[in-house]
Amino acid sequence: MKKYIGKSVVKGIAVGRIYWYKKQNYEAVKTEVLDTEAERERFESAVETAKKQLTVLYEDALDRLGEEHAMIFEIHKMMLEDEDYLDAVKNVINEGLNGEYAVSVAEEQFAEMFASMDDEYMKARAADIRDISKRVINILAGIGEDGIHTDEPVIVVAEDLTPSETVKMDKEKILAFVTVKGSSNSHTAILARSMNLPSLVNTKMELKEEMNGKVAVVDGFNGEFIVEPEEDILQEMISRKNQWIADLKGLEQLKGKENVTSDGRKINLYANIGSVNDVDAALEADAGGIGLFRSEFLYLGRNDYPSEEEQFESYKTVLEKMNGKKVIIRTLDIGADKKVDYFKLEPEENPAMGYRAIRICLDRPEIFITQLRAIYRASAYGTAAIMFPMIVSVNEIIRIKEIVGQVKEKLLAEGFRMGEVELGIMVETPAAAVISDELAKEVDFFSIGTNDLTQYTLAVDRQNQKLESTCDTHHPAVLRLIEMTVANGHKEGIWVGICGELAADTELTHTFLDMGVDELSVSAANVLKVRKAIRDI
Ligand code: PEP
Ligand code: MG
């Protein structure tokens, strides 16, 4: 048994097998092997696995995209049966070298050969050779395809996880997350919260191959990751897990009840979501609306911009599912830790304070307009509101409103129906909080993003795990900015909510109510917990 200590970002207990999620950019390293016959067999078995994967991909593509698009997987399978290619790999293994390296040698040799051909069709096969070789190398190295591949739900253990990697994973297959790196306010932690899976970040451990498949326990209450627990500990953890699930069930009796204090003060309690799939959990938790739809997650984990049509479908589905309850869609907040290759953003010294969010949208209005068109078209199907991230000035809002005006005018001319849409801003920079008296004159609501507001106010990088202990989330500077923003909003007659992670901190629920906060938006998993805190006041 081995116990590792991490920083808990989602409470709860999970018991299951470990799945080591390795990064995709693996490079084959040359090592010597003693048993070349065993290595050849390992290679042959990896080829068989690759072919099985390709069959699944073929059938899936055939169903979803048709024969024309599915054919490529058949071609890849045939390439993996090519004797010359297979022999080229085996010849290198026979020299006493490892399979991963041998495949990479054959890959180079064949890719170059195809690339040097005159025929355009044959030239293009170089990319296929690289593709099939990468697939086999990854299998040999134990690296899954994008996402995780397992039959039973597992505890995902990783060095670190980016938001893009996390969104690609099938939630049904995950029991918990444990990462060596990461901080509690990172978007990966936020995603883990939205999935409501016990999770630890900043876990002091060295990842080792032999961990894979071992039984382990994640204790998100005490920040512990126990690998191969002794029988008595395992039994204790299973019974604590059952107790935790029973407690969660206990909260369910609050479903359908109001968010009201004993002296009659009511508040809206909404849920944060990152995708259409999260809506069910929000409804299940009896959230009164969606207080933050992080629309940028629609842009992550793909190779190209989502089209107006695709976005329209997503927003429409969320609005329809929420059946008239308010849905606040935040326009895309790409940049900083939310990286998307096809945006072709240049590396920056300080990405959190760089070219991101509304700054990109105002600089590249074609991206912004596509998103606004999709939201306004979807607004006919429910109660949509839009909010804009990373605002620092009144001028930005004026420019946004000009663009919004043009978008609406064009949609009207094209004959689209639209609903009434409130326009608000995230107050997540100290600048916005300080000039909230002026900003309040321009918008219908404020939603305070305490994650960024805290990082910028305290000059504490939310991604930096070393600063976890120095980051005081209840710092008076942050609380005063929140109080000031609420007061300034109310002076202009607009409502003010909080959608950062602090909204779910029940130690502050009373304080927020005293400040006059009108809405709290939290992950679905926290809705009933916060409702209880409100009703206990
Ligand atoms: C915030 O900054 O508090 C917020 C809600 O936005 P995000 O966490 O997506 O940056
Ligand atoms: Mg933010």
Side-chain angles (χ1 to χ4, degrees):
M1 176 174 113
K2 259 204 146 29
K3 191 192 282 186
Y4 304 96
I5 304 299
K7 161 95 188 156
S8 167
V9 290
V10 188
K11 293 196 167 65
I13 295 179
V15 180
R17 290 191 187 279
I18 296 176
Y19 182 103
W20 183 7
Y21 179 84
K22 291 185 196 161
K23 296 284 165 192
Q24 305 299 304
N25 54 357
Y26 172 84
E27 279 204 29
V29 181
K30 179 175 173 180
T31 52
E32 285 179 14
V33 290
L34 294 176
D35 187 346
T36 53
E37 195 181 326
E39 194 63 5
R40 262 197 321 276
E41 277 168 18
R42 200 167 74 86
F43 164 65
E44 279 160 5
S45 132
V47 170
E48 285 315 307
T49 307
K51 289 203 295 202
K52 278 189 202 137
Q53 287 178 355
L54 288 163
T55 307
V56 173
L57 287 170
Y58 172 79
E59 279 161 9
D60 184 46
L62 191 65
D63 271 358
R64 292 187 302 113
L65 308 164
E67 176 75 25
E68 189 193 344
H69 293 281
M71 205 50 217
I72 186 68
F73 300 117
E74 272 299 298
I75 297 175
H76 280 193
K77 235 170 99 180
M78 276 152 59
M79 288 174 115
L80 276 176
E81 282 160 3
D82 181 88
E83 287 301 330
D84 290 341
Y85 175 78
L86 298 176
D87 285 347
V89 177
K90 286 181 199 159
N91 287 343
V92 181
I93 293 178
N94 290 344
E95 288 167 26
L97 296 167
N98 58 320
E100 290 89 331
Y101 177 73
V103 177
S104 73
V105 170
E107 172 188 343
E108 278 315 312
Q109 192 182 327
F110 278 71
E112 270 174 32
M113 183 184 81
F114 279 117
S116 67
M117 291 183 178
D118 288 336
D119 183 289
E120 284 306 313
Y121 176 82
M122 295 311 279
K123 251 192 197 344
R125 302 282 69 79
D128 296 318
I129 282 289
R130 296 214 178 275
D131 213 332
I132 58 161
S133 303
K134 183 168 177 273
R135 180 175 297 282
V136 177
I137 291 174
N138 282 349
I139 293 166
L140 284 166
I143 300 171
E145 289 182 277
D146 280 356
I148 57 164
H149 299 271
T150 160
D151 293 332
E152 57 172 330
V154 288
I155 296 172
V156 175
V157 171
E159 191 65 26
D160 200 3
L161 288 169
T162 65
S164 319
E165 287 164 335
T166 317
V167 289
K168 269 188 212 154
M169 293 180 183
D170 176 359
K171 286 180 210 176
E172 303 297 317
K173 295 283 172 66
I174 306 169
L175 297 170
F177 286 114
V178 180
T179 61
V180 176
K181 295 192 177 137
S183 65
S184 49
N185 250 345
S186 65
H187 282 95
T188 303
I190 290 172
L191 277 169
R193 248 169 244 141
S194 78
M195 297 181 185
N196 196 18
L197 296 169
S199 301
L200 310 181
V201 295
N202 200 359
T203 313
K204 311 264 173 304
M205 64 177 172
E206 195 190 324
L207 289 178
K208 293 200 191 96
E209 191 63 56
E210 58 261 29
M211 275 186 177
N212 234 344
K214 286 194 172 153
V215 170
V217 173
V218 178
D219 177 355
F221 291 101
N222 296 310
E224 289 179 355
F225 176 44
I226 307 166
V227 180
E228 292 192 306
E230 277 151 18
E231 192 50 35
D232 52 338
I233 293 186
L234 182 66
Q235 290 313 322
E236 184 198 323
M237 285 299 181
I238 290 173
S239 78
R240 279 187 51 210
K241 183 181 128 198
N242 293 340
Q243 183 57 48
W244 167 59
I245 291 168
D247 290 347
L248 286 181
K249 288 239 160 69
L251 280 178
E252 295 202 349
Q253 52 159 341
L254 294 178
K255 283 186 185 170
K257 300 246 163 82
E258 282 190 305
N259 310 303
V260 63
T261 61
S262 53
D263 59 353
R265 166 117 162 74
K266 284 189 194 155
I267 184 167
N268 286 327
L269 187 52
Y270 292 173
N272 293 348
I273 61 167
S275 75
V276 177
N277 296 338
D278 295 342
V279 181
D280 292 340
L283 285 169
E284 180 59 26
D286 194 28
I290 301 298
L292 166 63
F293 179 178
R294 286 184 166 91
S295 71
E296 60 276 9
F297 287 122
L298 300 178
Y299 292 70
L300 297 186
R302 38 184 300 144
N303 302 322
D304 204 354
Y305 297 93
S307 65
E308 177 182 320
E309 217 48 44
E310 277 175 87
Q311 292 192 55
F312 163 70
E313 284 301 333
S314 302
Y315 304 140
K316 176 173 170 259
T317 308
V318 174
L319 283 157
E320 282 179 338
K321 281 191 164 191
M322 290 307 291
N323 198 17
K325 290 181 176 160
K326 192 178 290 188
V327 175
I328 305 174
I329 301 167
R330 174 175 74 185
T331 57
L332 77 124
D333 187 9
I334 287 295
D337 59 325
K338 287 173 278 196
K339 297 210 173 51
V340 185
D341 289 345
Y342 57 86
F343 271 70
K344 305 226 179 325
L345 302 179
E346 283 167 23
E348 293 177 298
E349 289 278 329
N350 275 312
M353 293 197 276
Y355 187 67
R356 58 175 288 198
I358 199 68
R359 299 168 183 180
I360 299 181
C361 287
L362 292 179
D363 188 47
R364 296 167 67 178
E366 67 288 356
I367 299 176
F368 195 33
I369 288 170
T370 304
Q371 178 167 40
L372 289 172
R373 282 181 60 91
I375 300 175
Y376 271 102
R377 282 177 53 198
S379 70
Y381 299 85
T383 310
I386 308 180
M387 68 178 169
F388 304 96
M390 289 295 291
I391 295 293
V392 295
S393 74
V394 172
N395 277 345
E396 285 165 335
I397 303 178
I398 291 173
R399 180 73 194 116
I400 289 167
K401 288 207 280 193
E402 274 169 16
I403 298 176
V404 165
Q406 289 158 6
V407 165
K408 282 168 66 178
E409 207 173 301
K410 193 143 189 293
L411 286 171
L412 269 181
E414 291 172 28
F416 285 108
R417 274 192 312 127
M418 285 176 272
E420 278 293 317
V421 178
E422 278 187 320
L423 293 185
I425 57 164
M426 304 263 315
V427 175
E428 54 180 343
T429 63
V434 172
I435 61 163
S436 50
D437 53 341
E438 291 177 48
L439 298 172
K441 295 184 174 50
E442 301 294 335
V443 292
D444 301 318
F445 67 93
F446 286 153
S447 186
I448 303 174
T450 49
N451 308 334
D452 279 317
L453 188 61
T454 305
Q455 99 163 323
Y456 298 128
T457 305
L458 304 184
V460 170
D461 177 358
R462 64 194 269 193
Q463 295 292 114
N464 190 334
Q465 75 241 35
K466 287 211 190 85
L467 301 176
E468 284 273 352
S469 52
T470 47
C471 179
D472 172 8
T473 52
H474 294 195
H475 195 292
V478 178
L479 295 180
R480 281 192 214 177
L481 287 175
I482 297 174
E483 188 167 26
M484 187 173 139
T485 304
V486 178
N488 282 334
H490 286 176
K491 256 187 238 154
E492 293 298 332
I494 67 169
W495 65 265
V496 185
I498 303 178
C499 63
E501 297 299 293
L502 211 56
D505 184 336
T506 46
E507 282 176 33
L508 288 174
T509 310
H510 202 159
T511 308
F512 292 149
L513 280 156
D514 285 347
M515 287 179 183
V517 170
D518 303 289
E519 175 244 24
L520 293 170
S521 190
V522 301
S523 63
N526 282 326
V527 168
L528 293 175
K529 181 189 91 176
V530 176
R531 176 168 298 164
K532 181 169 186 316
I534 295 166
R535 294 175 65 87
D536 284 350
I537 290 172

